[in-house]
Amino acid sequence: IAHSIPYVGPAISGVAGAIVGASAGASVASALPGERIRTGALLGALGGAILGSSGGGTLAANVAMGVAGATAPYGLLLAVFSGAS
């Protein structure tokens, strides 16, 4: 819905994509060997921003953002507290 707002829609979709992408990337990285959570969060944020700003409003992007958004609480906590010991 935000993507359809004139002029600022793609930027809003890009920010939303970066947030859910970072959380999804951190979640995936936590399950892989080496647990490179910060790297996963960074790559997810970049991919999510690109997907959100360019493909926002399409059915595929909406499904991808919904699935990634479901991981947001877990992934964001991982990304924020990955450096805490």
Side-chain angles (χ1 to χ4, degrees):
I1 294 171
H3 195 77
S4 63
I5 299 171
Y7 306 110
V8 296
I12 294 170
S13 294
V15 170
I19 292 169
V20 296
S23 64
S27 298
V28 170
S30 70
L32 296 174
E35 294 187 10
R36 301 197 181 276
I37 295 172
R38 290 182 182 161
T39 303
L42 177 64
L43 293 176
L46 291 173
I50 292 168
L51 176 67
S53 62
S54 63
T58 64
L59 179 61
N62 291 340
V63 170
M65 298 283 268
V67 170
T71 67
Y74 173 73
L76 288 177
L77 287 173
L78 276 177
V80 170
F81 295 109
S82 67
S85 54

